[in-house]
Amino acid sequence: MIICTTIFEVKEAVAEYRRGDQDGIVGFVPTMGFLHEGHASLMRRSRAECGLTVLSIFVNPLQFGPNEDFDRYPRNAERDIELASKEQVDIVFMPAVREMYPKPVKTTVLVSDLTDRLCGASRPGHFDGVGTVVSKLFHIVAPDKAYFGLKDAQQVAVIAKMTEDLNFPVEIVPCETVREGDGLALSSRNVYLNEDERAQAVVLYRALNMASELSQSESMTPANLRDKLNQYIKEDAPLSNIDYIQVLGYPDLAELDSRTPLKELRDSWIVAMAVKFGSTRLIDNRLFPGEEVASHV
Amino acid sequence: MIICTTIFEVKEAVAEYRRGDQDGIVGFVPTMGFLHEGHASLMRRSRAECGLTVLSIFVNPLQFGPNEDFDRYPRNAERDIELASKEQVDIVFMPAVREMYPKPVKTTVLVSDLTDRLCGASRPGHFDGVGTVVSKLFHIVAPDKAYFGLKDAQQVAVIAKMTEDLNFPVEIVPCETVREGDGLALSSRNVYLNEDERAQAVVLYRALNMASELSQSESMTPANLRDKLNQYIKEDAPLSNIDYIQVLGYPDLAELDSRTPLKELRDSWIVAMAVKFGSTRLIDNRLFPGEEVASHV
């Protein structure tokens, strides 16, 4: 496994592979590190589909707001490298911030509409930072396929739209959310939770299951569903503080007529939620229609 | 010469070349067509430096304001193809608007600061459209080098900054402005000028020569220079209507202290101007320090 800290090195390493195999496919798994089984599943998918797998580990300051957790975002380079090695990743790219941003950045890749709701509303500028760093990484790594977890469904939608709009020669591969045994979606931020919060955090998964059931009802509308989930989470998890619960079209994240029964919707839609436990903000979602096939650890 | 109208075709044609020559260099000349000797000089430079030269002809609606000349922008595909063929261009890419924008675009590549002055101030949104279409074209053509005329010096600065910020794997090659015998910078928009306007339009070139002379004076400041050019253009060309005359740092387009003598500036700077004749808006500029080495037709 090659570990690169500079842009020059990783470009060279990928070019070397391409020189050796002109038809080879390069897979890319961009992460912020503190890797868990969710990331590992992306690496395995890339390994299965591509001749070369590149993993990036970069906590991108541009996508954190001034009052967010950039400084305290969990990091553990040593353990990350161990996990990547175990998953037989070919190249790990872990640049310092000054390598990615040697000068003040004046360029922003901005996706409108999709980014002004859900996490975009709660985290202004967040998706501008995501679009910009993903553009940079795509140009540096030049992958054929890039793997993203659906836990960040809005991120997947934003990156897919950006890729389509700007003709990036990259296929975006959305991958199923990986969950703990009790259903909590894996997230690097889960380590922030204390014992009580951790126990109650499973409420997000339970609420999504409830959404699956409720959506079977002929008369259930987006507004009605949202209200029921809101009430359920508040009652079931007293430590929770709801940031948002939304029912939107997917992947365009369009507003749905809140009084039209979900059963009458022809297109796909998403239930997405962000819930805080103390200062830890957790997100989860489910796409409809579609059976729940999430893999569990 | 291969003429492509679809993204698929041009990608295939470039890939075909790369399969044949792994070390081959692809040069790219993006244009809005209605080609003139200025464009031809870019094609020749690419031909001299690259194994494959791709020319794109696309009048990009995104970079025109609602009251600008998108609809009446001059077009002549037949003559353009003839000129490209004469210059031995390898691939011409001339997509329809619906090929480049099949769906509503939600993604914008935005370069801040550099775009809020000069033409960016007169043409709000113009450079967002430029950044977006150039990003698309770079992804589609995947060139190693891209050639841009310095007549649009702000455009060159914006694209160079975008390329650097986003790590596009493309070298931006700025090329000297080509001029008519009397000094008027070549532009597709020159055809709009009537006889009297055409005669007076040479005032831009004369003003730049005057700027070169005035800048030799020990005490000449940006403010002073601007005033003198302003006065000269107004007096010399009664049909002119000055949009802007600016003296800025280059390529960062930073404001200069208007009272510091130009002789004391250590970095490079630009005199840039936009002047209207009737409804035709002409631009020209000169970079300092540097001898005038503009090529003439």
Side-chain angles (χ1 to χ4, degrees), chain B residues 197-266:
Chain B
E197 292 167 345
R198 171 63 189 83
Q200 291 188 23
V202 70
V203 74
L204 280 87
Y205 180 64
R206 290 202 191 120
L208 292 175
N209 287 341
M210 189 174 156
S212 293
E213 275 171 42
L214 291 171
S215 69
Q216 298 304 313
S217 145
E218 293 299 326
S219 60
M220 184 60 58
T221 63
N224 205 340
L225 179 59
R226 219 166 41 226
D227 289 347
K228 285 194 182 301
L229 296 178
N230 193 53
Q231 191 187 343
Y232 170 70
I233 291 174
K234 277 184 176 152
E235 281 171 13
D236 193 65
L239 295 173
S240 71
N241 184 0
I242 296 170
D243 180 359
Y244 66 75
I245 300 172
Q246 289 278 307
V247 183
L248 297 172
Y250 195 87
D252 62 356
L253 305 181
E255 294 282 346
L256 301 175
D257 177 358
S258 60
R259 294 155 309 172
T260 300
L262 293 161
K263 280 280 186 195
E264 291 176 21
L265 294 174
R266 265 175 302 175

Side-chain angles (χ1 to χ4, degrees), chain B residues 25-44:
Chain B
I25 294 185
V26 175
F28 179 41
V29 181
T31 79
M32 299 212 299
F34 211 74
L35 303 174
H36 53 62
E37 185 57 25
H39 301 108
S41 75
L42 304 179
M43 297 177 217
R44 283 197 288 276

Side-chain angles (χ1 to χ4, degrees), chain B:
Chain B
M1 189 171 80
I2 303 174
I3 299 175
C4 305
T5 56
T6 68
I7 293 167
F8 180 82
E9 285 169 328
V10 70
K11 288 180 79 143
E12 231 354 271
V14 173
E16 175 74 27
Y17 166 75
R18 291 210 188 268
R19 277 193 292 270
D21 182 358
Q22 274 204 61
D23 299 321
I25 294 185
V26 175
F28 179 41
V29 181
T31 79
M32 299 212 299
F34 211 74
L35 303 174
H36 53 62
E37 185 57 25
H39 301 108
S41 75
L42 304 179
M43 297 177 217
R44 283 197 288 276
R45 176 93 182 258
S46 173
R47 285 255 307 146
E49 296 179 357
C50 306
L52 185 87
T53 292
V54 182
L55 170 79
S56 71
I57 298 174
F58 180 61
V59 186
N60 173 36
L62 244 58
Q63 72 193 66
F64 287 81
N67 299 316
E68 290 183 1
D69 58 351
F70 174 70
D71 286 328
R72 72 170 195 127
Y73 193 87
R75 293 159 169 93
N76 190 334
E78 203 176 330
R79 222 190 54 196
D80 286 349
I81 289 169
E82 212 172 280
L83 188 145
S85 169
K86 199 181 121 229
E87 296 299 339
Q88 298 178 274
V89 161
D90 300 290
I91 300 171
V92 178
F93 177 45
M94 35 198 320
V97 170
R98 67 181 171 282
E99 176 72 9
M100 289 294 277
Y101 302 114
K103 297 182 192 174
V105 180
K106 292 181 189 277
T107 308
T108 306
V109 181
L110 199 142
V111 182
S112 57
D113 296 350
L114 285 104
T115 56
D116 63 8
R117 50 210 68 172
L118 305 177
C119 290
S122 310
R123 306 181 65 186
H126 169 67
F127 284 111
D128 302 348
V130 169
T132 303
V133 80
V134 170
S135 294
K136 287 170 71 75
L137 289 168
F138 279 4
H139 290 149
I140 292 165
V141 176
D144 299 293
K145 295 181 169 208
Y147 298 83
F148 293 90
L150 271 171
K151 182 172 76 73
D152 301 292
Q154 185 177 17
Q155 176 174 273
V156 172
V158 168
I159 290 171
K161 182 63 181 154
M162 171 189 95
T163 300
E164 179 187 36
D165 278 352
L166 297 185
N167 305 89
F168 274 98
V170 182
E171 182 192 339
I172 305 304
V173 185
C175 302
E176 203 67 48
T177 299
V178 179
R179 301 178 179 282
E180 299 283 0
D182 66 353
L184 176 67
L186 294 194
S187 164
S188 304
R189 289 191 173 94
N190 289 352
V191 297
Y192 296 151
L193 299 169
N194 68 30
E195 204 176 330
D196 290 344
E197 292 167 345
R198 171 63 189 83
Q200 291 188 23
V202 70
V203 74
L204 280 87
Y205 180 64
R206 290 202 191 120
L208 292 175
N209 287 341
M210 189 174 156
S212 293
E213 275 171 42
L214 291 171
S215 69
Q216 298 304 313
S217 145
E218 293 299 326
S219 60
M220 184 60 58
T221 63
N224 205 340
L225 179 59
R226 219 166 41 226
D227 289 347
K228 285 194 182 301
L229 296 178
N230 193 53
Q231 191 187 343
Y232 170 70
I233 291 174
K234 277 184 176 152
E235 281 171 13
D236 193 65
L239 295 173
S240 71
N241 184 0
I242 296 170
D243 180 359
Y244 66 75
I245 300 172
Q246 289 278 307
V247 183
L248 297 172
Y250 195 87
D252 62 356
L253 305 181
E255 294 282 346
L256 301 175
D257 177 358
S258 60
R259 294 155 309 172
T260 300
L262 293 161
K263 280 280 186 195
E264 291 176 21
L265 294 174
R266 265 175 302 175
D267 297 325
S268 56
W269 49 281
I270 188 171
V271 176
M273 48 181 71
V275 178
K276 283 183 124 179
F277 288 88
S279 61
T280 307
R281 189 170 166 282
L282 302 179
I283 58 174
D284 206 346
N285 68 79
R286 189 165 295 173
L287 296 177
F288 295 86
E291 297 160 58
E292 166 68 346
V293 289
S295 57
H296 285 255
V297 177

